[in-house]
Amino acid sequence: MELLTTNNVWMMICTALVFFMHLGFSLLEIGLTRQKNTINILFKNIFIITIGLLLYCLIGFNLMYPGEFNGFFGFAGFGLDSPLTAEGALDLTYNEGYTYWTDFLFQGMFAATAATIVSGAVAERVKIVPFMIFTVIYVGLVYPIAGSWKWGGGFLDAMGFYDFAGSTLVHSVGGWAAVVAVCLLGPRIGKFKEGKAQAIPGHNIPLATAGVLILWLGWFGFNGGSVLSADPALTSVTLVTTCLAASAGGVVAMLVSTAMYKNLDLTMFLNGILGGLVGITAGADVVSPTSAIIIGAVAGALIVLAVSFIDNKLKLDDPVGAIAVHLVCGIWGTLAVGIFSTNPEHSFLTQLIGVACYAVFCLVTAFIIIYALKKTMGIRVSEKEELEGLDAHEHGMDAYPDFRLNEH
């Protein structure tokens, strides 16, 4: 009983840390975008966490953990119905680590994170109502079905695919949708001039920096909680690998971007830290500290190269670098398990198959949802709304009414 209590308390702390990540995402996103869209971005982030938890309660949790199912799709029924003993008390043998309720809340915090990734990529030009509809369908249906394939004991789990805390299941699932959304939305006005990408600076880099540090803190819960117990050896090594990868990602991104652009770019430094965190998330419990540094370092280099490639070659406008961070580093982190894992059963080929399955499923579902919204109600705000800011047009509010800056 003492063990259960200790595990449960640890899981609750981790749940709170993952919840706190929503503040980190919010601050990062508003910091890297323009002042005139601040309310809009905060509104989307608040909507994602609130509706995400409600949907995960009513549908998502039982879609993701359906119990006995065919490995592709299963549903254990609407709403939450906790396992009870014959006497009608809460069944604490639900699993070894923690109660049913803690499990739901921890997993629910993860569900909302996938949609937050899309929010950053489509910032400053997406209509809010279609975005909210997309969030409902993606968090309510797509994410839990994808999650069931591995974490719910589905076909990828049976195949031996490994994703400890969601490099693919959370970050790439959000990242693939972000690619589709950005392609269908088009770039912000002024992003590309004569085919060349133009920098559109964020309005508050101190807030973005605070957001990244909060996200790093939240990752202690994201990865630490994914041990699913308070096991001292496993939780501590997981936090060590997580922090080392974050540090290596930041340092290498800073060095590579300085070499390429001859300036010490703080935003690249920050995104490098996040890339390292995303990269280590798939294998945080099965790689050595030295391997974690290598995984983080590669992620940091990938960030700089991917941001440049997405901007200059693909001509995709991703205001916060979400695709580079969550998709590119998510794929790398998942494949890295097949290279660096201390478990001989983990294979590179299986990891690659897992990445491909999620790519196809998420690209197709995200395209169907967003394309349908584009054709029926439109997903892009008018030129006037975009130039004057979404805060004024979508919300009738100003984030900083006493500090109106001259924005172009």
Side-chain angles (χ1 to χ4, degrees), residues 237 240-241 244-245 287-294:
V237 76
V240 167
T241 55
L244 290 172
V287 300
S288 71
T290 310
S291 298
I293 292 173
I294 298 168

Side-chain angles (χ1 to χ4, degrees), residues 212 247 249-251 253-254 257 265-274:
V212 168
S247 304
V251 169
M254 178 264 294
S257 75
D265 185 337
L266 177 60
T267 58
M268 281 294 188
F269 207 160
L270 296 173
N271 267 338
I273 291 170
L274 294 179

Side-chain angles (χ1 to χ4, degrees), residues 6 9 17 30 92 104 154 167 177 179 181 248 262 267 278 381:
T6 307
V9 169
L17 286 169
I30 62 172
L92 295 178
F104 158 71
S167 283
V179 171
K262 307 293 180 280
T267 58
V278 172
V381 298

Side-chain angles (χ1 to χ4, degrees), residues 299-351:
L302 280 173
I303 283 289
V304 186
L305 301 173
V307 166
S308 169
F309 183 73
I310 289 162
D311 260 5
N312 301 315
K313 293 286 189 290
L314 298 181
K315 301 281 190 283
L316 296 178
D317 180 13
D318 176 2
V320 300
I323 295 168
V325 170
H326 298 282
L327 178 58
V328 174
C329 293
I331 292 169
W332 157 243
T334 308
L335 297 178
V337 172
I339 304 169
F340 295 103
S341 174
T342 53
N343 182 341
E345 290 177 9
H346 294 155
S347 88
F348 185 83
L349 182 62
T350 309
Q351 295 302 100

